[in-house]
Amino acid sequence: MTKLYLISTGPGDADLIAPRSVKAIGECSDLVAYGLYLDLLGSVCDGKTHHDLPLGEEIGRARLALDLAASGKTTALISSGDIGIYAMATLVFELLDMQLQGKENHPEWLDVDIEVVPGISAMQAGSARIGAMLGHDFCTISLSDLLTPWQTIEKRLHSCGEGDFVVSFYNPRSKKRDWQINTARDILLQYRPANTPVLLGRQLTREDESITITTLDKLDAADVDMFTLVSVGNSETRHIENGDKEWVYTPRGYSKKL
Amino acid sequence: MTKLYLISTGPGDADLIAPRSVKAIGECSDLVAYGLYLDLLGSVCDGKTHHDLPLGEEIGRARLALDLAASGKTTALISSGDIGIYAMATLVFELLDMQLQGKENHPEWLDVDIEVVPGISAMQAGSARIGAMLGHDFCTISLSDLLTPWQTIEKRLHSCGEGDFVVSFYNPRSKKRDWQINTARDILLQYRPANTPVLLGRQLTREDESITITTLDKLDAADVDMFTLVSVGNSETRHIENGDKEWVYTPRGYSKKL
């Protein structure tokens, strides 16, 4: 039985990588990942064959991982954050599905044993760094319209507004996409107050981390890049200050019972 | 400076607890948690004072943790899953907020230094165990109407349906609440197909784990208890079978480009 691990390495801090991820990597001979991610992992990657592909080559990376595993090499496909959330895991299953439908010509992929190892996603790291922003019902929306029609994304933004969900935006901006985050802001402003707390978390839990707490009306694409998590509170999210410390949390409503 | 850690211990498997959580517990003299959670953690808890309170005493538990930390004891308040997601973290900040507003009489709480340590939530463990159910935009909804009016929950269920979000239900059922999950099913059936894949994940990643993959029309409260995570796919989520293995994933749409 050949084996493919789909492994999460969390938001950045090595202390937030689950032991299961490190152990699984230890069993592998071949790693498919950005070099950047491997630096976080340290010595467990020593002596293993490292396969990299240019940014944007997601399908190629998933194919390569399946091919390596099918050839008998115990292989890890590695993503930062949670590999199951806007990351590589779904691509591997999409390729398997194509094969099962006869739209690919790689029957050997079907013999690969797959294990997915979850991890801490950026929204969780961001929420924790400033308090408990995800304390009540929330959603995630990717603002990338490369694969999803903008019409679908816009519909979800309105649903998020109507449902008053806390929302975390993944892929808020790239070099080629700069207007989506401002449009998302304008849609949400139809549903919740201008002073709704917003988190801009850049390079969360890494050495060059920066955290900005602002308000929905001041959210602007100029302050966001592809390394930024943007989370917007719901209509009840509170931004509190205690001396020089500040916190953002979304209440579940216990204070009504206090 | 007195210190309070708000610590996540993940879905159950000790190998899915972040090292940061274990290290933070190691620094503490006092632990506030269900005994159940401490069993997962093992020897790091040895020799520490363990404070327990009956199930349902959430506010009491948050107060106790703040009191202990304010008295100079380095304290951990511990939740399974992610303490920031439908768990204890938001209560601590809600109490601090009450104090800042003068609605509590515990100024000593304001001197406590707080650090939140995120963790892997049940929805992530469930998604990973069966593939990549959270591969595209998703939301979470708590079905407990103890603190949130049912009217708000119902509005969110409709928004989830209109936005075609994958959804994970937390607190789907308790001994006293048995009808909410079936009502949620009926609302979602207005928006997505009867054969939409559904995960019932009970005691995820623990020794007595059980995983059931079913369809939305067959989702029934009789198969759900307070230890069950219920995740419902969106209209594009796929359930595929490869020999005796089965997977559920939500595509991002790469296959349109293959």
Side-chain angles (χ1 to χ4, degrees):
Chain A
M1 176 65 84
T2 62
K3 182 108 189 183
L4 173 60
Y5 288 104
L6 308 183
I7 296 178
S8 309
T9 58
D13 182 350
D15 266 351
L16 294 177
I17 304 173
R20 181 73 195 123
S21 290
V22 178
K23 288 179 189 174
I25 290 168
E27 293 175 27
C28 295
S29 62
D30 288 69
L31 310 179
V32 181
Y34 298 128
L36 192 65
Y37 298 165
L38 299 193
D39 293 345
L40 297 172
L41 290 162
S43 60
V44 70
C45 300
D46 291 352
K48 301 180 186 301
T49 307
H50 178 207
H51 306 264
D52 206 348
L53 282 171
L55 201 74
E57 289 286 339
E58 281 84 8
I59 298 172
R61 195 171 278 113
R63 285 181 184 280
L64 176 60
L66 280 165
D67 286 343
L68 286 165
S71 77
K73 290 171 175 163
T74 302
T75 302
L77 176 62
I78 302 173
S79 284
S80 67
D82 186 322
I83 195 166
I85 296 179
Y86 301 121
M88 297 295 299
T90 189
L91 257 92
V92 170
F93 294 106
E94 208 163 340
L95 285 170
L96 278 188
D97 194 0
M98 294 295 106
Q99 175 60 38
L100 287 165
Q101 294 178 47
K103 296 175 183 172
E104 288 280 342
N105 189 20
H106 293 281
E108 71 276 13
W109 287 350
L110 302 181
D111 295 326
V112 175
D113 183 33
I114 301 175
E115 180 179 328
V116 187
V117 184
I120 294 167
S121 188
M123 64 177 168
Q124 296 167 289
S127 176
R129 286 288 284 106
I130 61 166
M133 198 159 183
L134 301 180
H136 208 339
D137 303 331
F138 63 87
C139 68
T140 65
I141 299 177
S142 168
L143 293 181
S144 169
D145 55 354
L146 295 176
L147 298 171
T148 302
W150 179 254
Q151 192 182 345
T152 302
I153 298 170
E154 195 168 273
K155 181 181 70 174
R156 287 185 178 147
L157 289 164
H158 281 284
S159 296
C160 163
E162 281 165 6
D164 198 25
F165 289 96
V166 177
V167 55
S168 297
F169 294 121
Y170 284 71
N171 309 309
R173 179 176 179 168
S174 70
K175 282 178 188 167
K176 293 178 185 167
R177 294 184 303 101
D178 62 356
W179 55 269
Q180 285 86 350
I181 185 71
N182 285 356
T183 303
R185 172 201 63 207
D186 293 342
I187 290 172
L188 288 182
L189 279 170
Q190 298 173 28
Y191 299 93
R192 56 190 76 170
N195 67 350
T196 301
V198 169
L199 163 68
L200 306 180
R202 190 170 185 282
Q203 299 281 35
L204 282 159
T205 79
R206 305 187 187 200
E207 271 186 19
D208 50 346
E209 174 186 85
S210 78
I211 302 264
T212 305
I213 300 170
T214 181
T215 52
L216 184 56
D217 58 339
K218 295 195 178 69
L219 172 58
D220 191 273
D223 303 318
V224 173
D225 67 11
M226 62 184 290
F227 302 107
T228 311
L229 170 83
V230 180
S231 293
V232 181
N234 72 9
S235 65
E236 296 190 337
T237 301
R238 299 263 306 158
H239 179 190
I240 58 175
E241 295 184 48
N242 175 23
D244 60 352
K245 289 178 276 185
E246 49 184 344
W247 300 107
V248 176
Y249 77 97
T250 304
R252 292 196 66 191
Y254 283 93
S255 62
K256 294 169 195 159
K257 292 205 162 185
L258 293 179
Chain B
M1 177 63 86
T2 62
K3 182 109 188 183
L4 173 60
Y5 288 104
L6 309 182
I7 295 179
S8 308
T9 58
D13 182 351
D15 266 352
L16 294 177
I17 305 173
R20 181 72 195 122
S21 289
V22 178
K23 287 179 189 174
I25 290 169
E27 292 174 27
C28 294
S29 62
D30 289 69
L31 312 179
V32 181
Y34 297 128
L36 193 66
Y37 300 165
L38 298 193
D39 294 344
L40 296 171
L41 290 162
S43 60
V44 72
C45 300
D46 292 351
K48 300 180 186 300
T49 307
H50 177 207
H51 306 264
D52 206 348
L53 282 172
L55 201 75
E57 287 289 336
E58 281 83 9
I59 298 172
R61 195 171 278 114
R63 285 181 184 279
L64 177 61
L66 281 164
D67 286 342
L68 285 165
S71 77
K73 292 172 175 163
T74 302
T75 301
L77 177 61
I78 301 175
S79 284
S80 66
D82 186 324
I83 196 165
I85 296 180
Y86 300 122
M88 296 295 300
T90 188
L91 256 92
V92 170
F93 294 106
E94 208 162 342
L95 285 170
L96 278 189
D97 194 359
M98 293 295 106
Q99 176 59 37
L100 287 164
Q101 293 178 48
K103 296 177 183 172
E104 289 279 342
N105 190 19
H106 294 281
E108 70 277 13
W109 288 350
L110 302 181
D111 295 327
V112 174
D113 183 32
I114 300 175
E115 179 180 328
V116 187
V117 184
I120 295 167
S121 188
M123 65 177 167
Q124 296 167 287
S127 176
R129 287 288 283 106
I130 60 165
M133 198 157 182
L134 300 180
H136 207 339
D137 302 332
F138 63 88
C139 69
T140 65
I141 299 178
S142 168
L143 294 182
S144 170
D145 55 354
L146 295 178
L147 298 172
T148 302
W150 179 255
Q151 193 181 347
T152 302
I153 298 170
E154 194 167 274
K155 182 180 71 174
R156 287 183 178 149
L157 289 165
H158 281 284
S159 297
C160 163
E162 280 165 6
D164 198 24
F165 288 96
V166 177
V167 56
S168 297
F169 294 121
Y170 284 69
N171 310 308
R173 177 175 181 168
S174 70
K175 282 178 189 168
K176 293 179 187 169
R177 293 184 304 101
D178 61 356
W179 56 268
Q180 286 87 350
I181 186 71
N182 286 355
T183 304
R185 172 201 63 206
D186 294 341
I187 291 172
L188 288 182
L189 280 169
Q190 298 172 29
Y191 300 94
R192 57 190 74 171
N195 67 350
T196 301
V198 170
L199 163 68
L200 307 180
R202 191 170 185 283
Q203 299 282 37
L204 283 158
T205 79
R206 303 188 188 198
E207 272 187 17
D208 50 346
E209 175 185 86
S210 78
I211 302 265
T212 304
I213 300 171
T214 183
T215 52
L216 184 55
D217 57 341
K218 295 195 178 68
L219 172 58
D220 191 272
D223 303 317
V224 172
D225 68 10
M226 62 184 291
F227 303 107
T228 310
L229 170 83
V230 180
S231 293
V232 181
N234 72 11
S235 64
E236 297 190 338
T237 300
R238 301 263 305 158
H239 179 190
I240 60 176
E241 294 184 48
N242 175 24
D244 61 351
K245 288 177 278 186
E246 50 184 344
W247 300 108
V248 175
Y249 77 97
T250 303
R252 292 196 65 192
Y254 283 93
S255 63
K256 294 169 195 159
K257 292 204 162 184
L258 293 179

